[in-house]
Amino acid sequence: MSRTPTAATSPASGQSAPASPVAALTERVDAARPYVLSLFRIVIGLLFACHGAASLFGVLGGAMGSNGGTIAAGTWPGWYAAVIQLVGGILVMVGLGSRSAAFISSGSMAYAYFDVHQSEALWPIQNHGEASALFCWAFLLLVFTGPGPLSLDRLFGRAKQG
């Protein structure tokens, strides 16, 4: 069995250099991963908060199906979902209590998918539940990955370094 070296040592610097362009690219992508994760979290949180703001305040086109209107305060489940979207989206976006906010937001979207959309048809493309399914899985991913380095949790020392 022959062993292929994964890195070559540069005689001038004494440091190892990647053996191939693919390895170099992989190394650079791996180094950027935490920052891309933070960017992912920020964008997902912003988009989710926009849904809540639209439903609660009538901005950005208003609540879906309301012709620019809002959801009446206290109505189940729409108003509560909008509050979770606004508050959860903001918390996820800034990275404060990210895992908890993402967990609640994911559950909210799972409920929305199975209660509102699943009864219409089996597949998300048929029942118009793509956004609910995507938000549910995106937030679940954030529960397990954490907020990344660009977050208030990290700034206040609450997030695990990794």
Side-chain angles (χ1 to χ4, degrees):
M1 233 165 117
S2 69
R3 187 172 161 195
T4 308
T6 57
T9 303
S10 168
S13 68
Q15 296 178 353
S16 62
S20 71
V22 173
L25 179 61
T26 300
E27 189 176 305
R28 293 187 85 170
V29 169
D30 285 346
R33 182 182 303 160
Y35 300 99
V36 174
L37 174 63
S38 288
L39 182 61
F40 175 79
R41 175 188 45 78
I42 291 165
V43 170
I44 291 295
L46 175 65
L47 293 173
F48 202 58
C50 286
H51 277 277
S55 297
L56 292 173
F57 308 121
V59 298
L60 306 169
M64 290 183 69
S66 70
N67 291 326
T70 62
I71 295 176
T75 57
W76 177 260
W79 185 81
Y80 295 95
V83 170
I84 290 171
Q85 290 167 358
L86 181 63
V87 175
I90 290 170
L91 290 173
V92 166
M93 182 177 66
V94 300
L96 184 63
S98 304
R99 290 178 191 252
S100 299
F103 182 75
I104 292 167
S105 297
S106 177
S108 167
M109 288 295 94
Y111 177 85
Y113 182 78
F114 287 110
D115 187 61
V116 176
H117 300 286
Q118 186 67 43
S119 62
E120 293 179 28
L122 177 63
W123 297 103
I125 192 72
Q126 295 173 313
N127 63 30
H128 308 288
E130 298 102 328
S132 295
L134 286 170
F135 275 125
C136 177
W137 285 103
F139 284 120
L140 189 62
L141 176 67
L142 290 171
V143 169
F144 288 94
T145 60
L150 306 176
S151 67
L152 290 180
D153 281 340
R154 183 64 53 91
L155 180 68
F156 296 143
R158 290 198 228 161
K160 180 180 122 185
Q161 298 286 336

